[in-house]
Amino acid sequence: MLLRIGHWRRPTFIVLVLTSSSLVILLALWHYRYRPVDSISSFLHPSAAPKPSSSEHPIPPVPHECSKLHFNRPQGESPGLAVALSPGELLCRPVDHNTPGIPKLLHQSWKNNELPAKFKRWSKGCRAQHADWEWVLWTDDDNLKLVQTYFPWLEETFLGLPGPIYRADFARNLYMYMFGGVYIDLDTDCLRPTDEALAPFRIPVVDATNTTSSDEPVNRRGIAVFGRLGSDETFQHSIPNAWMASSPRHPFFLVPMYTTKDVVQKRKTILHRLGGTPSAEHITGPIALKESILRWKASLRDLWDEVVLLPPHMVYPYNWKKPGALGAICSAMFATLDEALCQEKLRVKEKGSLSVTYWSNTHKGTGHNDKTIAQVSQDK
């Protein structure tokens, strides 16, 4: 009888061992692929960092049909605002990739052209702070058109992302690489002109997007600028993608492009799909951005094309990780948002902050967060 029991237990034991081993392997692969990468691990594992090259996928020329198109600027807008530019017009504009600084071009994005009330007001405020700039609002459809026009090698990657927030996050890298300028989330309140705020950091801002293109090589250092959230550098979200600035064709932005392409390709395998869908933050959002920046710094390419990290008070004076009493008055997720009191408590004028983001959190999972969208749709 004892031998019989052992006979029946042995296969069960083997199945349990194999199942446990498989789970361990899956967890290890998951951790390796999506773990936070610091500069030390980048040095130890240089193969983990993509080797982006602008020559591998050159930007196509401006489409021929652009010469036949005529674009009308919006009529009846209030004076003193950044000039509204349609995505279509920008897609038809030649860009000088030798532009020696950040062009005066504001990028914002939403699922369509109908902005929630608070977003519309904050966006108008940002345009008022940048009256001599141009402003473009990208929609989900415009983002796809951008990919198809200038990044055809990324179309499969773009469409293979799990949801709209992933694609919206990803497109920000394309704005910066293709056109340069400044990207600003719609839940951001601009407090000062960007060129004025960046002047002490010796970050050049050029008067306008240059509509001429030169193939002559120049000795130009690219510059990309991001803000820090709080002082805890180990925090995965410590370099958000809610605000970013760049000169055109900065090679840094190829890193998140190649990394995302690699992630989407790997997710086609059964092994990676079994692990579930990683959050947008991990694939195209702030966690992915921080990984890319740390890899860039570790590669020493920063010596040629610089990536600058501004101190926390400049771009993100409200730290949602440790909101404390400020959470109720500084978060657009709540009806208790009080912008004036929030700015007073944060001492943004005293610190010379460029902006404050109210972190509306309008996405949820792979889609939109209807509850917070409803909240920012009320402007009372």
Side-chain angles (χ1 to χ4, degrees):
M1 184 61 105
L2 289 174
L3 289 175
R4 221 167 171 185
I5 293 174
H7 174 74
W8 285 105
R9 283 182 175 177
R10 190 176 299 119
T12 305
F13 175 74
I14 292 172
V15 169
L16 288 173
V17 170
L18 290 174
T19 303
S20 301
S21 301
S22 299
L23 288 173
V24 170
I25 292 171
L26 284 173
L27 288 172
L29 287 170
W30 175 265
H31 175 73
Y32 178 78
R33 181 64 192 86
Y34 295 107
R35 75 191 191 286
V37 178
D38 57 24
S39 56
I40 296 177
S41 62
S42 296
F43 273 121
L44 295 177
H45 304 285
S47 61
K51 305 294 190 299
S53 170
S54 58
S55 61
E56 184 176 351
H57 297 286
I59 296 292
V62 173
H64 293 298
E65 58 266 27
C66 284
S67 60
K68 303 175 184 178
L69 299 177
H70 178 71
F71 300 96
N72 294 317
R73 299 291 174 87
Q75 301 296 317
E77 287 206 312
S78 303
L81 299 179
V83 176
L85 191 68
S86 71
E89 183 174 353
L90 188 56
L91 289 172
C92 282
R93 173 187 288 179
V95 178
D96 185 358
H97 56 268
N98 292 323
T99 301
I102 298 169
K104 291 186 174 181
L105 177 63
L106 293 179
H107 303 268
Q108 294 191 297
S109 70
W110 186 238
K111 58 183 178 178
N112 53 42
N113 286 307
E114 299 299 320
L115 297 182
K118 285 188 175 69
F119 286 0
K120 188 174 183 178
R121 173 166 58 83
W122 291 327
S123 178
K124 188 175 181 179
C126 286
R127 293 175 64 189
Q129 290 286 1
H130 300 85
D132 59 337
W133 289 46
E134 292 175 312
W135 169 80
V136 60
L137 178 67
W138 298 87
T139 67
D140 290 349
D141 291 340
D142 296 324
N143 289 337
L144 177 58
K145 183 66 174 177
L146 170 60
V147 172
Q148 293 172 333
T149 303
Y150 292 114
F151 302 91
W153 61 281
L154 286 172
E155 184 173 358
E156 183 180 354
T157 296
F158 186 76
L159 295 175
L161 287 166
I165 182 58
Y166 296 77
R167 290 187 281 274
D169 274 346
F170 183 70
R172 302 171 193 186
N173 300 299
L174 308 187
Y175 309 154
M176 295 294 97
Y177 184 73
M178 182 67 201
F179 306 106
V182 177
Y183 170 81
I184 305 174
D185 262 1
L186 285 164
D187 54 6
T188 298
D189 201 352
C190 296
L191 307 176
R192 302 171 62 193
T194 299
D195 43 350
E196 174 189 297
L198 296 185
F201 299 92
R202 298 185 178 180
I203 296 173
V205 178
V206 298
D207 286 341
T209 302
N210 195 330
T211 57
T212 63
S213 183
S214 171
D215 293 328
E216 294 296 322
V218 295
N219 184 19
R220 178 191 69 89
R221 277 170 56 88
I223 186 166
V225 190
F226 304 91
R228 289 188 179 277
L229 177 74
S231 56
D232 180 5
E233 296 185 10
T234 65
F235 181 41
Q236 287 184 306
H237 296 259
S238 63
I239 307 177
N241 63 339
W243 183 98
M244 54 181 72
S246 181
S247 52
R249 304 296 198 275
H250 194 300
F252 163 76
F253 291 99
L254 290 168
V255 177
M257 292 184 211
Y258 277 78
T259 302
T260 304
K261 186 175 186 294
D262 180 56
V263 170
V264 171
Q265 189 64 32
K266 286 184 177 180
R267 278 185 46 77
K268 293 180 180 179
T269 66
I270 296 177
L271 187 63
H272 279 75
R273 286 203 299 269
L274 288 174
T277 302
S279 69
E281 288 84 355
H282 280 90
I283 296 182
T284 55
I287 296 175
L289 174 64
K290 181 181 179 182
E291 283 194 19
S292 294
I293 289 175
L294 291 173
R295 287 172 175 172
W296 183 263
K297 295 283 188 181
S299 73
L300 302 183
R301 295 190 67 185
D302 196 52
L303 297 173
W304 290 271
D305 292 285
E306 191 174 10
V307 170
V308 176
L309 298 177
L310 298 175
H313 72 272
M314 284 299 299
V315 183
Y316 306 115
Y318 169 52
N319 183 356
W320 59 264
K321 184 191 178 188
K322 297 180 179 180
L326 292 173
I329 61 173
C330 290
S331 174
M333 295 174 62
F334 306 117
T336 51
L337 171 69
D338 188 326
E339 299 154 47
L341 182 58
C342 174
Q343 293 178 27
E344 179 185 338
K345 295 291 186 181
L346 293 171
R347 297 184 296 139
V348 292
K349 288 186 178 179
E350 177 185 335
K351 296 176 180 178
S353 300
L354 167 60
S355 61
V356 56
T357 299
Y358 299 118
W359 305 112
S360 59
N361 193 24
T362 54
H363 75 275
K364 185 176 183 180
T366 60
H368 296 95
N369 189 334
D370 293 334
K371 182 178 179 180
T372 56
I373 289 178
Q375 186 61 53
V376 295
S377 296
Q378 303 296 320
D379 197 14
K380 296 179 181 179

